[in-house]
Amino acid sequence: MGWKGLSSALIILCYSSLSFAEVSGWEWFERSQSSVRQFNFEASFVVIKPNQVDSYRWVHGVHNDSEIEQLMPLEQSGVEILRRGEMVYYIAPEKAPLATSSSTIKELPALLYRDIESIKTLYDAVPGGATQLSGRSAQLLRLTPLQSGRPGYWLWLDSQTGFPLKIDTLTVQNEVLERWVVTHILPHATLPEILNVAANAELPAVAETIPNVALPQSPLELSWLPDGYQEVSVTAAMVPQQVLEQWLLYDGLHQVSVFVQPSASLPAQAFRDGATTIFVMPKNQFDVTVIGPVSIETARQIAESVR
């Protein structure tokens, strides 16, 4: 699976060798982020949900001191995703590429890209024991939420490089909601050839035809936010049709969307798509929908706070 190559190519770039007891949880986490963002590699991974398995090819590199990475679905022809620095492009056959301004690809684990200081305000990082995973020695790292309502994370990191081999997203009872597993990795000493082509490709800028205007004033308000979350500004261009009001909440790692729509006369509903909760609550003449990686109880509290 290329793990010997991973060690030989990356170990000289890793932190100095320390025993597990000498490395704190946050040092392990920093190693993990650095191994993903500073090296050139090709990898395959799967995302496992209760009723769905998705597989991807992931290519990452550093070009002119800037990150470039590409993500491609393996089991179906679909949209390829390319990130160059702070721009993400969605490329579909026979269509013009769609450009968006973002520093991450949303299909990749957000934990690996978010500011570590922000994550420290949300989680406690505790190293676990070492185990064998895909023939490699792996260090377990548990991220335990400091407030209720957030998912927990267990990360298995390559003991020599810190590269993430598996990430479980968990409920407060440690039930697995979603599993991310690397199945193959191939390191590169220089930028992978496929990224050499992507680095020099002419791609469009962010579309300027959509006006970036604020939403009109609404009589509705969101009167309660979960601990650590703040409202993020939403423009009219971001709001789907038939939506009366929308809020976007962010805690430095997770995003939660809240929509208000005309009533469809449906009963209250709640279900999970892996780590993502989808909660719908009828209220008077409208329905409130909450979508995000929070518990069902937290989603219900958010929906109830719409006034």
Side-chain angles (χ1 to χ4, degrees):
M1 293 175 62
W3 291 115
K4 291 183 179 179
L6 174 65
S7 293
S8 60
L10 302 187
I11 194 65
I12 60 173
L13 298 175
C14 291
Y15 300 88
S16 59
S17 178
L18 296 172
S19 70
F20 291 165
E22 294 174 311
V23 182
S24 73
W26 289 116
E27 286 174 314
W28 274 114
F29 186 74
E30 186 176 6
R31 287 185 183 190
S32 180
Q33 286 194 329
S34 296
S35 69
V36 164
R37 306 201 66 175
Q38 295 179 5
F39 300 140
N40 301 302
F41 61 84
E42 297 180 53
S44 299
F45 67 86
V46 294
V47 179
I48 304 169
K49 301 177 182 180
N51 300 308
Q52 181 179 345
V53 177
D54 296 315
S55 57
Y56 296 89
R57 181 188 180 203
W58 175 26
V59 189
H60 181 278
V62 179
H63 178 71
N64 293 335
D65 297 323
S66 180
E67 283 184 90
I68 179 170
E69 60 187 343
Q70 191 168 21
L71 193 67
M72 293 153 282
L74 287 179
E75 296 184 356
Q76 57 184 2
S77 59
V79 176
E80 295 183 5
I81 307 170
L82 173 68
R83 179 172 74 89
R84 297 197 306 200
E86 301 293 315
M87 294 290 294
V88 174
Y89 303 90
Y90 296 85
I91 305 168
E94 300 180 359
K95 292 184 179 180
L98 173 64
T100 63
S101 179
S102 178
S103 60
T104 61
I105 294 174
K106 66 181 181 64
E107 285 79 7
L108 292 171
L111 277 173
L112 303 177
Y113 294 86
R114 300 295 188 232
D115 175 61
I116 189 171
E117 295 303 320
S118 296
I119 297 176
K120 284 181 178 180
T121 67
L122 307 175
Y123 288 90
D124 188 19
V126 180
T131 187
Q132 289 290 312
L133 192 64
S134 299
R136 295 290 300 174
S137 175
Q139 169 68 35
L140 172 61
L141 177 64
R142 297 185 181 95
L143 293 188
T144 305
L146 299 176
Q147 298 95 18
S148 62
R150 285 186 181 82
Y153 298 97
W154 285 16
L155 298 83
W156 284 263
L157 311 177
D158 182 83
S159 296
Q160 290 182 306
T161 66
F163 196 91
L165 306 178
K166 182 170 77 169
I167 301 174
D168 281 356
T169 306
L170 307 162
T171 67
V172 67
Q173 293 84 17
N174 289 335
E175 299 169 340
V176 177
L177 293 168
E178 191 169 307
R179 174 167 287 164
W180 180 91
V181 185
V182 170
T183 57
H184 172 80
I185 187 165
L186 176 66
H188 287 263
T190 59
L191 192 70
E193 180 60 31
I194 189 173
L195 295 185
N196 268 316
V197 175
N200 297 300
E202 291 190 12
L203 293 168
V206 174
E208 298 179 354
T209 56
I210 302 176
N212 187 27
V213 297
L215 287 170
Q217 282 292 109
S218 168
L220 299 172
E221 66 173 1
L222 198 62
S223 61
W224 179 83
L225 302 180
D227 289 341
Y229 280 88
Q230 296 181 338
E231 285 189 37
V232 178
S233 60
V234 177
T235 63
M238 299 168 61
V239 180
Q241 291 184 349
Q242 303 301 316
V243 170
L244 304 176
E245 180 63 277
Q246 177 181 348
W247 296 274
L248 183 62
L249 313 181
Y250 185 58
D251 67 356
L253 176 60
H254 311 102
Q255 287 189 348
V256 178
S257 296
V258 186
F259 302 93
V260 180
Q261 297 173 278
S263 174
S265 301
L266 296 174
Q269 303 176 61
F271 60 94
R272 284 188 179 273
D273 178 22
T276 301
T277 290
I278 302 172
F279 184 89
V280 181
M281 173 181 284
K283 294 192 72 172
N284 299 323
Q285 302 301 311
F286 54 85
D287 295 336
V288 179
T289 302
V290 179
I291 303 175
V294 294
S295 67
I296 290 176
E297 175 58 23
T298 298
R300 182 190 63 76
Q301 290 179 275
I302 294 172
E304 287 183 342
S305 76
V306 175
R307 300 283 187 267

